[in-house]
Amino acid sequence: MEEVDVEPTTTLIPGVGLKQKHLGFEWGPGDILVYETNFRPAGERSGCPSVHVVRKDEDIYSPILRKLFNESHHIFVGLQNITEDVPSKNKKPQFVSISKNYRSVIRACMEELQHVAGVTCCAHLVLFVLRLHSQVSILLATELIWNLCEVLFIDAAPAGCLLLHLLDWVRLHKADVDEKAKEVLQSDSPTNHLAYWDVVISFILQGRVDEARHVLTKQASVQAASRTLYQLMDTLLHKMPVFNPSGTQTLTEFDMKWRHWHEECDRCLQDKSFASNPHLETICKILLGDEDAMLEHKELLGTWYHFLVSRLLFSHPTVKPAELHYYAKSSMDMFLDSRSVPEPLDSILLAAFEFDLHQVIKDCSIALNNWWFVAHLTDLLDHCKLLQSHNLHFGSNLREFLVLEYASGLVSHHSLWQLAVDYFDHCPEFGRVYLELQLERVPLETERKALKVLRICEQRHMTEQVRSICKIMAKRALSNNRLGSALSWSIRAKDAGFATLISERFLQDYCTRGSFSDLDLIDNLGPAMLLSDRLTFLGKYREFHRLYGENKFTEAGKLLLSLMTAKIAPRSFWMTLLTDALPLLEQKEVHIYTHTHTHTLSCVFVCVFQGEDVETAKLELLRLALARNLAMAIVKEGTVEA
Amino acid sequence: MFVARSIAADHKDLIHDVSYDFHGRRMATCSSDQSVKVWDKSDSGEWHCTASWKTHSGSVWRVTWAHPEFGQVLASCSFDRTAAVWEEIVGESNDKQRGLSHWIKRTTLVDSRTSVTDVKFAPKHMGLVLATCSADGVVRIYEAPDVMNLSQWSLQHEISCKLSCSCISWNPSSSRAHPPMISVGSDDNNVTYSGKVQIYEYNENTRKYAKAETLMTVTDPVHDIAFAPNLGRSFHVLAIATKDVRIFKLVPLRRDSTTSSGPTKFEVQLLAQFDSHNSQVWRVSWNITSTLLASSGDDGCVRLWKANYMDNWKCTGILRGDGSPVNGSSVQGLALNTPGSSGAPTPQNSVAGAASAGRYEAQLILRMADFIER
């Protein structure tokens, strides 16, 4: 398979390259920044005017196309979830139905774009409208190609049905006949309408024989003299055999019947029955599959593939799939004159008729400049097990490659990035690592968005990403002095070091202000408290204050003591703790501290006293309180209750 | 591709580097005017300069962001033989309202005797670590042991490369199978025939960086070097900007337990070589998923390189200046660039003038136009 050597497209950056000869760049999310510079600066230099943001031509920012992305995402996910136990053969109707769903989504999008283009009449939005029209055209081409792929590959109709499907395909994409027919039939004198014969011949070329006959009846009622002629034509048309796939007739029987009919038409022509009426004679020739006659009406056919189908209809209606490529190539050659070069669309369709799936996908990737189409189509074809059957040992990688490309394109969008997650999920080889990389980079503008990203990471057990995102949020909150938020993010990140740091800040705040902030958070830490010693201390210390506030002095006292003995209190805090103990020591009514307790407290006191300088007044108070408490304790414990 | 937006950069001299932050919402630019500017992207996609300050006493060559886990931190390096680390301080509320922020210098790294040509933060799993390289041929690796105190950095390693260094790149892989690795490129003109790309690897036992590999086939001056994101692969991919663009694959060779000391041995394969720039290549850089490589050369073009699913590399796009002066109009965004409509195509991309960009699109349109018969 020859690699098509496609010239890369060049994008010009206006205003750059005049003063400095180099172009600097930097990759960004969904774009690339470029700026004029000189990597080997020497001599005269001057200021740089601008940094330019360059993006791919992808229209993911168009609100109408967004619906296409959303709905096709829905179909994609549904397709992935089809159970594996049913053999592929039996799944064909399902796949065809899914293919039709995709196509209807494309058509819906196209119609909406056309509608918007139609109602937009603002003068300075001309470029916008032009762009809409180009999007419509691309979608039209997309649907045309998809439809053909559905007919040839997914539905994979055998001879007989194949032609019927191809006729449907052509009819769907050449619907202008109906408008013309309506116009002709509704006119005062249909038979004298300029487009009369065009309508008849168009119908015939599309195999819409009954409708052609209907239009022809207008002619017959006018010209009594040629009535027999028209009746003959009507009979011929009426007798034209059409294969019925659900009928009892076999293909061979149909073929025989068709040949008889073909011979009859030929006899009419040889007898010069229609010689007096050139139009009818032309029609007769067409019925006989006369290519020149058909080519005389190129403008009615419009395209070589219409010509191909019409040719097949009238010369070889039992065409087999494998024979298609020969007819396709010759049709294209006959239809296009020697001067015109095949367009990308033509090459793609030809490759499809040649059943060269790989070429179709490759050409579409190049021509359509967006991954949506090839990704979804290839994914569907892969599910139909068509890529493997074409002996592409890298078949599954091709599907994954394209789906990854498509999803990567979605990620930079502020809301479509969530769709990308499902696509990555269904790429078994690289999906996870791509998703990890991309999720890390999703900007966390709000807490709500951060939580959304976190939920996605947690569902997939991406522990490192969870930790990282929480840490980023914690650091941001800390920088903005939102301690409560910083603490809860640190806990979620399971970052002991950071939690310690923030707890210190809380405690410092308490020392300076005398109260705690974010009480709700600290009161409800629960087991998270155990993340770091400092955090545990913070939680417990707050609990002490709560108990004290509720007048539960004994519990409070015990807790305070345990804070000191458990060695989780920071050294700097011991004085504060002792000061907190003071009122408890002074309690007259309730005796809180036993003799042993007081002894412990005294040890702490001694440490503090020996440490840094402390207010002497406070020290004296403490010393006194401790001594008195000890005295009371000794007396109380020593007294035998009477 | 099309120009979606142009931002008036306002530097008084050449811009040498532009760097996006991790999330792509902020940007830093540095210039020969000795200053660094920080830009923030608003929700509507507009860029506003939120800080601009003098950073060095010489041209600032590179500027780079630390991972957001460490806060809002920048590093810059300069011709003035120093590198510096900057941290953003959340300002007073009225500053915030005016959309300004303050950056303060946390440290100056003065160990180099010559111009510091590159500065890069190491992958975050290594902590807050920074590497610089200089024209004096030394790569210096610094670490801030306390990430809450960015004024304390210690010089942990000095790697003498013996050739004047122009660029460094850390291997972004955080896999436990890969010890920390840094590649160094040299643009030394004086020594020919020696490999200009060296790869150093950290050894847990000796706690030092040791040379693992010299790419002997790269003998021309190297201007830029970039490891590709790892994507869970066992091997490494390295892009080099020299007289052409080269992409190497480095496959770690399995070691048996007896020779487990010493750096990893690699099998080096050349994956691709592009000389389309026809001249010196100055910069190479990978996108996040390592699917696209961009290079910039003496021909004034930026080229985008992509591997298809068969691992064949091809140029998929070219950007270049059109060499014409901007016609005086305001440069903040083009007229039709509202969020609703997609950015307006430049004249080159419209249906009428499809000579290069959008050529196939145009052809498809013209063909379909026949078909539709509007």
Side-chain angles (χ1 to χ4, degrees):
Chain A
M1 235 173 301
E2 277 300 303
E3 277 278 334
V4 173
D5 212 358
V6 180
E7 269 299 302
T9 54
T10 304
T11 306
L12 293 177
I13 318 288
V16 166
L18 183 69
K19 293 190 185 141
Q20 302 298 340
K21 63 171 188 162
H22 293 140
L23 206 56
F25 66 89
E26 161 78 342
W27 280 111
D31 57 34
I32 184 166
L33 301 176
V34 293
Y35 53 95
E36 197 179 65
T37 185
N38 194 321
F39 293 117
R40 206 190 333 228
E44 200 179 299
R45 300 187 315 238
S46 52
C48 156
S50 306
V51 173
H52 305 275
V53 180
V54 177
R55 278 216 294 261
K56 277 194 77 174
D57 281 318
E58 276 173 19
D59 297 302
I60 56 173
Y61 294 92
S62 158
I64 298 168
L65 283 183
R66 205 172 305 165
K67 235 196 261 180
L68 177 72
F69 297 125
N70 272 302
E71 287 172 14
S72 54
H73 160 260
H74 189 65
I75 301 172
F76 174 88
V77 172
L79 173 57
Q80 310 309 310
N81 292 333
I82 289 179
T83 53
E84 284 302 320
D85 40 59
V86 181
S88 303
K89 247 182 289 185
N90 303 352
K91 287 195 223 159
K92 185 158 96 163
Q94 259 181 317
F95 291 141
V96 172
S97 157
I98 288 173
S99 178
K100 288 188 177 357
N101 279 345
Y102 273 124
R103 287 198 294 119
S104 69
V105 166
I106 299 172
R107 288 201 95 88
C109 184
M110 212 160 57
E111 271 156 37
E112 203 171 329
L113 283 171
Q114 260 167 338
H115 173 74
V116 173
V119 300
T120 308
C121 47
C122 218
H124 63 264
L125 285 172
V126 157
L127 261 173
F128 171 62
V129 171
L130 207 66
R131 194 149 185 88
L132 284 180
H133 281 310
S134 96
Q135 281 170 350
V136 168
S137 308
I138 292 175
L139 284 177
L140 206 58
T142 305
E143 204 265 333
L144 179 75
I145 299 166
W146 192 306
N147 199 343
L148 184 61
C149 288
E150 182 185 303
V151 166
L152 296 177
F153 302 122
I154 302 174
D155 215 340
C161 295
L162 178 59
L163 182 65
L164 295 175
H165 288 167
L166 286 174
L167 275 172
D168 281 335
W169 175 64
V170 163
R171 287 173 194 164
L172 194 59
H173 295 94
K174 194 102 175 73
D176 60 333
V177 181
D178 296 286
E179 261 179 60
K180 248 198 245 173
K182 201 162 124 191
E183 196 190 304
V184 165
L185 291 172
Q186 283 175 353
S187 70
D188 301 319
S189 175
T191 53
N192 291 328
H193 197 290
L194 278 173
Y196 177 81
W197 285 107
D198 284 346
V199 168
V200 175
I201 292 177
S202 296
F203 275 140
I204 291 181
L205 287 170
Q206 284 190 13
R208 292 159 75 173
V209 173
D210 289 332
E211 286 163 278
R213 287 173 58 212
H214 174 70
V215 179
L216 276 175
T217 54
K218 302 281 181 242
Q219 194 69 256
S221 58
V222 167
Q223 290 184 7
S226 353
R227 199 167 295 174
T228 30
L229 216 57
Y230 281 96
Q231 269 180 346
L232 179 60
M233 177 52 76
D234 189 68
T235 317
L236 271 183
L237 289 173
H238 183 55
K239 275 195 197 171
M240 178 172 153
V242 177
F243 182 65
N244 183 356
S246 48
T248 49
Q249 185 190 54
T250 67
L251 194 66
T252 329
E253 286 167 7
F254 165 76
D255 195 36
M256 239 171 49
K257 221 174 143 199
W258 186 83
R259 280 179 202 289
H260 280 147
W261 174 81
H262 190 90
E263 278 159 20
E264 197 178 325
C265 292
D266 197 29
R267 273 198 298 276
C268 289
L269 191 68
Q270 301 304 331
D271 289 347
K272 300 213 186 300
S273 314
F274 295 112
S276 55
N277 187 325
H279 291 291
L280 290 179
E281 194 166 59
T282 305
I283 292 175
C284 190
K285 284 191 189 158
I286 289 175
L287 292 179
L288 283 169
D290 184 329
E291 285 134 11
D292 295 318
M294 287 189 216
L295 286 172
E296 269 166 40
H297 299 279
K298 253 197 203 175
E299 76 290 354
L300 295 181
L301 289 167
T303 60
W304 63 269
Y305 31 96
H306 189 336
F307 174 53
L308 162 68
V309 176
S310 303
R311 247 181 104 197
L312 289 172
L313 175 64
F314 296 114
S315 60
H316 192 30
T318 54
V319 63
K320 297 203 227 358
E323 297 166 333
L324 270 180
H325 80 275
Y326 163 71
Y327 286 99
K329 188 78 179 63
S330 54
S331 301
M332 192 166 95
D333 291 336
M334 280 189 251
F335 192 90
L336 300 177
D337 52 49
S338 47
R339 286 166 304 157
S340 50
V341 179
E343 312 283 349
L345 180 61
D346 297 327
S347 315
I348 294 168
L349 295 173
L350 192 61
F353 285 122
E354 288 170 359
F355 285 82
D356 191 348
L357 249 184
H358 189 233
Q359 194 68 29
V360 171
I361 294 169
K362 180 157 71 174
D363 288 349
C364 286
S365 311
I366 298 168
L368 290 175
N369 196 31
N370 100 47
W371 299 106
W372 179 87
F373 173 56
V374 286
H376 289 90
L377 180 63
T378 309
D379 173 62
L380 180 56
L381 293 172
D382 188 60
H383 273 88
C384 300
K385 305 267 188 286
L386 287 169
L387 291 182
Q388 273 119 303
S389 75
H390 280 77
N391 199 30
L392 299 175
H393 62 272
F394 40 74
S396 62
N397 290 341
L398 173 62
R399 173 210 166 258
E400 182 158 321
F401 176 83
L402 295 171
V403 173
L404 286 172
E405 283 292 341
Y406 171 66
S408 301
L410 287 178
V411 172
S412 53
H413 190 271
H414 63 88
S415 67
L416 292 177
W417 65 271
Q418 294 170 84
L419 300 183
V421 175
D422 284 311
Y423 287 98
F424 285 127
D425 278 343
H426 291 104
C427 291
E429 222 179 301
F430 286 113
R432 190 186 167 87
V433 68
Y434 266 64
L435 186 56
E436 283 172 357
L437 276 176
Q438 300 284 12
L439 283 175
E440 273 183 341
R441 300 268 185 170
V442 174
L444 308 166
E445 301 100 316
T446 60
E447 281 223 356
R448 197 158 146 261
K449 191 163 184 199
L451 289 170
K452 228 187 247 188
V453 180
L454 273 177
R455 197 169 40 241
I456 295 171
C457 292
E458 278 161 357
Q459 279 167 354
R460 289 155 183 77
H461 308 291
M462 294 178 172
T463 45
E464 170 51 28
Q465 281 67 30
V466 169
R467 186 208 62 80
S468 183
I469 290 168
C470 292
K471 183 64 190 282
I472 293 171
M473 298 301 286
K475 185 87 175 92
R476 191 189 294 176
L478 186 64
S479 309
N480 285 299
N481 244 325
R482 289 180 286 119
L483 291 182
S485 180
L487 184 60
S488 60
W489 282 115
S490 308
I491 291 170
R492 197 156 175 178
K494 298 199 180 56
D495 191 328
F498 221 56
T500 300
L501 202 112
I502 297 167
S503 307
E504 290 270 8
R505 289 277 288 269
F506 268 115
L507 293 168
Q508 276 167 28
D509 264 5
Y510 169 75
C511 285
T512 45
R513 286 199 312 213
S515 64
F516 285 109
S517 58
D518 300 283
L519 285 176
D520 257 345
L521 175 63
I522 304 174
D523 283 343
N524 294 303
L525 284 174
M529 211 191 286
L530 300 172
L531 181 61
S532 99
D533 276 353
R534 196 64 86 250
L535 183 59
T536 315
F537 173 71
L538 176 67
K540 290 290 176 192
Y541 188 56
R542 165 64 202 148
E543 196 182 319
F544 160 73
H545 276 277
R546 224 170 18 136
L547 289 171
Y548 193 95
E550 291 166 11
N551 289 349
K552 296 184 182 149
F553 297 121
T554 325
E555 280 175 65
K558 289 215 172 62
L559 180 55
L560 190 61
L561 190 65
S562 68
L563 283 178
M564 284 189 252
T565 51
K567 297 194 173 84
I568 57 168
R571 189 71 204 272
S572 52
F573 232 72
W574 284 3
M575 190 58 203
T576 317
L577 291 177
L578 282 174
T579 319
D580 286 329
L582 199 55
L584 293 173
L585 288 167
E586 302 273 298
Q587 281 279 342
K588 298 280 191 300
E589 296 81 29
V590 190
H591 188 203
I592 298 163
Y593 288 118
T594 63
H595 145 241
T596 345
H597 292 162
T598 319
H599 194 69
T600 317
L601 281 172
S602 310
C603 295
V604 176
F605 172 77
V606 166
C607 291
V608 170
F609 180 56
Q610 282 174 347
E612 310 79 42
D613 54 342
V614 190
E615 271 181 61
T616 9
K618 224 188 245 181
L619 276 180
E620 282 310 308
L621 274 172
L622 268 172
R623 193 201 300 269
L624 195 57
L626 281 169
R628 279 214 286 258
N629 203 298
L630 192 54
M632 264 180 15
I634 293 172
V635 167
K636 186 144 191 213
E637 284 158 42
T639 309
V640 173
E641 289 296 319
Chain B
M1 303 192 82
F2 66 102
V3 177
R5 190 163 244 142
S6 297
I7 306 153
D10 258 348
H11 277 288
K12 298 180 181 51
D13 204 331
L14 277 185
I15 292 180
H16 291 293
D17 199 13
V18 170
S19 180
Y20 258 117
D21 81 330
F22 188 73
H23 292 299
R25 304 283 297 183
R26 313 189 80 182
M27 174 175 82
T29 57
C30 66
S31 159
S32 270
D33 68 4
Q34 303 176 2
S35 75
V36 164
K37 287 181 193 282
V38 172
W39 307 76
D40 281 31
K41 191 175 184 180
S42 70
D43 288 335
S44 58
E46 282 156 23
W47 289 93
H48 301 283
C49 181
T50 53
S52 171
W53 73 104
K54 180 160 162 19
T55 47
H56 291 275
S57 51
S59 292
V60 188
W61 298 129
R62 305 265 205 174
V63 66
T64 184
W65 294 83
H67 194 277
E69 272 186 41
F70 302 113
Q72 297 298 301
V73 177
L74 279 174
S76 59
C77 68
S78 163
F79 179 75
D80 71 358
R81 306 193 299 275
T82 69
V85 177
W86 311 87
E87 187 173 13
E88 186 180 38
I89 298 301
V90 175
E92 301 298 307
S93 53
N94 48 346
D95 274 340
K96 255 211 209 129
Q97 271 165 17
R98 284 187 303 159
L100 295 176
S101 64
H102 292 286
W103 291 77
I104 63 172
K105 183 188 284 203
R106 286 303 190 196
T107 192
T108 313
L109 306 171
V110 298
D111 305 276
S112 174
R113 292 185 298 281
T114 55
S115 170
V116 182
T117 49
D118 202 357
V119 61
K120 291 279 183 342
F121 282 103
K124 68 169 153 72
H125 69 269
M126 288 173 59
L128 192 50
V129 173
L130 186 66
T132 63
C133 73
S134 314
D136 67 6
V138 181
V139 170
R140 294 178 175 86
I141 298 176
Y142 300 85
E143 182 171 0
D146 178 4
V147 302
M148 292 310 300
N149 180 5
L150 294 189
S151 36
Q152 295 301 327
W153 290 79
S154 67
L155 174 60
Q156 302 278 57
H157 306 277
E158 262 187 323
I159 304 173
S160 178
C161 303
K162 300 190 173 51
L163 296 170
S164 155
C165 304
S166 60
C167 51
I168 42 180
S169 175
W170 286 99
N171 186 339
S173 169
S174 55
S175 156
R176 268 187 231 125
H178 301 143
M181 189 189 296
I182 187 168
S183 60
V184 187
S186 162
D187 60 353
D188 204 317
N189 259 318
N190 302 323
V191 188
T192 46
Y193 305 127
S194 61
K196 298 289 194 314
V197 173
Q198 298 171 43
I199 296 167
Y200 291 88
E201 194 184 65
Y202 183 72
N203 186 315
E204 286 292 340
N205 299 326
T206 61
R207 307 245 203 99
K208 282 191 172 35
Y209 279 86
K211 191 188 301 199
E213 191 69 45
T214 304
L215 299 184
M216 297 308 300
T217 53
V218 184
T219 51
D220 298 284
V222 169
H223 307 294
D224 202 8
I225 194 166
F227 269 110
N230 186 257
L231 291 185
R233 298 184 290 234
S234 60
F235 59 88
H236 313 294
V237 176
L238 184 64
I240 294 168
T242 171
K243 72 172 189 331
D244 49 29
V245 177
R246 275 181 234 185
I247 305 177
F248 285 94
K249 175 176 174 179
L250 301 160
V251 186
L253 294 171
R254 243 169 41 106
R255 296 119 67 82
D256 48 50
S257 48
T258 52
T259 54
S260 59
S261 62
T264 315
K265 297 247 177 302
F266 293 97
E267 183 200 328
V268 179
Q269 297 170 19
L270 182 65
L271 281 182
Q273 188 165 0
F274 315 119
D275 55 9
S276 316
H277 283 287
N278 271 336
S279 53
Q280 293 295 321
V281 181
W282 290 95
R283 289 277 181 272
V284 281
S285 173
W286 298 91
N287 68 347
I288 307 174
T289 48
S290 76
T291 49
L292 275 170
L293 177 71
S295 63
S296 174
D298 248 350
D299 60 349
C301 291
V302 170
R303 281 165 198 272
L304 305 176
W305 308 94
K306 187 175 178 59
N308 68 3
Y309 59 90
M310 295 280 281
D311 258 336
N312 293 330
W313 289 85
K314 284 210 144 46
C315 179
T316 61
I318 302 173
L319 303 173
R320 68 180 169 83
D322 68 354
S324 66
V326 182
N327 41 2
S329 52
S330 101
V331 285
Q332 175 69 311
L334 304 172
L336 286 166
N337 193 19
T338 54
S341 65
S342 54
T346 55
Q348 293 82 10
N349 285 1
S350 70
V351 178
S356 46
R359 173 178 57 202
Y360 291 109
E361 190 180 299
Q363 285 181 335
L364 262 180
I365 294 162
L366 294 173
R367 199 87 195 90
M368 292 319 301
D370 295 345
F371 201 53
I372 296 169
E373 283 196 48
R374 286 190 221 101

